[in-house]
């Protein structure tokens, strides 16, 4: 069983930087490449800089779910728009993202689970979702003859799945064909200003003159914002994932209980994940944002545990800012590749095998972990900021499925086009203007 991060599809990138661009995007995850695609399609001269490899962090390490179901009410409209984009994305970019509308199940084991899902349905139905509660028999049928009889499930047939290791490379290739320039192995060290406005970005490979910068840095966004004097309350959470060998049969689509989550892959195997065994590495920001995350800590309960890790010690030495003419943290750490927790994900796999007999015939072939960028209200920031024309981060483990919609919205904001959805719920200022921290109830 191999342990490094998952292998990504190869994609050609650009060897050099331009001297100037209309927009510079920092970060080559699914949000960054989606933003590049939508800007390039509008004729905007855009360059994307990625310090490591495209999709090398959480964008390729996630579960691969593409869903509206279970989302915070503030995310539902954008998630629905993202699903529409996913439908046309392969044709749009001329590549394979692995997207299939195969349905998702939130499997109910207790009466409280059923009640929680009824409550979410009441919030979501006005948006026109096709989610519904299944009976125990209907749930067993959707799970291809599960060996455990569950109480039921919340089911959304229009939700889907895609392949994290394919999606970012495919979208990036499509963005380049539309005119975007994408440069990897190119860390952005910071931003220059003139007369109080952005005038350039400084990278390890040179300077790019620009008036507009989009930060789509995922787990790195907080550190970059700190160097600009922007307070972005964001922490990191580690989740561990397992990939199995291909297996004939088994349930299509994806589903989750309190102890395991599964997704059918297009290679015939399954992605298995822990549904509640996540680790927050204690870092200096843990204490800096202690008050901001009070409500989130109460809501998560034991689903997230705090503890020391290699990330704790690493960030302890990254507090001080570094001059733009010197290498910094973004060059020292090209790809966040946290040590996974095999024990927790193998336990989840054992639980999944109890319910899904087909999994008993297959072995795990790879385990990896990723660091998820989390905000105090578990809702992303997609916003304009005075010091930064575009900011998209803090997707709290929800970013892969919503990514194309978020990229569209970011492109709308920086070009002044009518936004695909109302962006006010995603504004950065909500953490500073006295707005209450609203945490969605469990689903």
């Amino acid at each position: 069983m191999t342990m490094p991060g998952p292998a990504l599809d190869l994609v050609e990138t650009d060897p050099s930087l331009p001297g100037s661009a209309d927009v510079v995007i920092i970060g080559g995850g699914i949000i960054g490449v989606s933003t590049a695609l939508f800007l390039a399609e509008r004729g905007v001269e855009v360059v994307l800089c990625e310090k490591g490899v495209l999709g090398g962090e959480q964008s390729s390490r996630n579960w691969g779910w593409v869903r509206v179901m279970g989302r915070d009410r503030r995310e539902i409209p954008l998630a629905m728009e993202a699903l529409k984009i996913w439908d046309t994305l392969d044709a749009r970019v001329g590549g394979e993202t692995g997207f299939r509308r195969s349905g998702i199940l939130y499997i109910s084991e207790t009466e409280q689970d059923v009640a929680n899902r009824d409550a979410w349905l009441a919030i979501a139905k006005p948006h026109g979702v096709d989610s519904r509660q299944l009976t125990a028999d209907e749930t067993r049928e959707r799970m291809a003859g599960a060996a455990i009889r569950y109480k039921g499930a919340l089911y959304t047939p229009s939700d889907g799945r895609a392949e994290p290791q394919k999606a970012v490379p495919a979208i990036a290739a499509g963005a380049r064909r539309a005119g975007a320039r994408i440069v990897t192995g190119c860390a952005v060290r910071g931003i220059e200003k003139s007369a109080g406005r952005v005038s350039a970005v400084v990278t390890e490979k040179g300077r790019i003159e620009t008036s507009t910068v989009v930060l789509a840095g995922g787990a790195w966004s907080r550190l970059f914002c700190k160097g600009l004097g922007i307070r972005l309350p964001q922490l990191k959470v580690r989740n561990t994932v397992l990939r199995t060998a291909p297996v004939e049969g088994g349930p299509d689509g994806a589903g989750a209980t309190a102890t395991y989550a599964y997704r059918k892959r297009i290679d015939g195997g399954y992605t298995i994940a822990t549904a509640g065994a996540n680790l927050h590495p204690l870092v200096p920001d843990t204490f800096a944002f202690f008050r901001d995350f009070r409500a989130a800590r109460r809501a998560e309960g034991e689903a997230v545990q705090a503890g020391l890790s290699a990330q704790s010690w690493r960030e302890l030495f990254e507090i001080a800012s570094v001059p733009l003419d010197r290498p910094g943290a973004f060059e020292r750490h090209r790809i966040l590749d946290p040590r996974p927790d095999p024990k927790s994900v193998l336990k989840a796999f054992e639980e999944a095998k109890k319910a899904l007999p087909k999994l008993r015939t297959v072995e795990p072939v790879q385990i990896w972990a990723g660091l998820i960028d989390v905000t105090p209200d578990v809702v992303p920031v997609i916003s304009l900021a005075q010091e930064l024309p575009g900011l998209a981060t803090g997707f709290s483990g929800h970013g892969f499925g919503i990514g194309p919609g978020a990229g569209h919205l970011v492109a709308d904001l920086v070009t002044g086009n009518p936004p695909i959805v109302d962006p006010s719920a995603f504004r950065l200022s909500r953490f500073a203007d006295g707005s209450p921290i609203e945490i969605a109830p469990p689903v």
Side-chain angles (χ1 to χ4, degrees), residues 144-167:
I148 295 176
R149 183 177 175 83
Y150 293 104
K151 287 189 175 295
L154 180 63
Y155 174 56
T156 305
S158 62
D159 279 352
R161 55 188 171 91
E163 295 302 324
Q165 294 88 51
K166 290 182 172 295

Side-chain angles (χ1 to χ4, degrees), residues 416-429:
N417 285 21
I420 190 171
V421 299
D422 180 359
S424 60
F426 308 124
R427 69 193 187 283
L428 173 62
S429 62

Side-chain angles (χ1 to χ4, degrees), residues 103-258:
I104 294 179
L105 296 166
Y106 276 9
I107 301 156
S108 297
E109 300 174 271
T110 68
E111 292 296 340
Q112 186 60 56
D113 290 340
V114 176
N116 289 345
R117 281 137 203 186
D118 278 336
W120 182 83
L121 274 173
I123 294 169
K125 280 296 186 184
H127 294 278
V129 301
D130 61 348
S131 307
R132 65 180 186 271
Q133 292 272 35
L134 301 184
T135 66
D137 288 341
E138 289 171 329
T139 300
R140 188 172 186 274
E141 182 180 351
R142 289 287 171 190
M143 295 179 72
I148 295 176
R149 183 177 175 83
Y150 293 104
K151 287 189 175 295
L154 180 63
Y155 174 56
T156 305
S158 62
D159 279 352
R161 55 188 171 91
E163 295 302 324
Q165 294 88 51
K166 290 182 172 295
V168 168
I171 298 169
R176 289 187 74 241
R177 282 192 287 272
R181 186 173 294 195
I182 297 177
V183 183
T184 57
C186 181
V188 174
R189 294 175 177 174
I191 291 174
E192 289 183 353
K193 294 182 181 180
S194 178
R197 298 181 61 85
V198 171
S199 58
V201 298
V202 178
T203 82
E204 64 178 301
K205 294 186 176 182
R207 183 175 175 274
I208 311 171
E209 292 186 0
T210 188
S211 60
T212 303
V213 178
V214 172
L215 176 61
W220 292 95
S221 293
R222 153 61 181 166
L223 183 61
F224 194 90
C225 283
K226 185 179 179 183
L228 300 176
I230 300 173
R231 187 179 189 274
L232 172 65
Q234 178 177 291
L235 296 175
K236 304 177 187 71
V237 172
R238 184 196 69 186
N239 183 254
T240 299
V241 179
L242 173 154
R243 173 173 67 87
T244 77
V247 58
E248 289 291 333
D252 198 10
T257 71

Side-chain angles (χ1 to χ4, degrees), residues 51 296 320:
K51 61 181 173 51

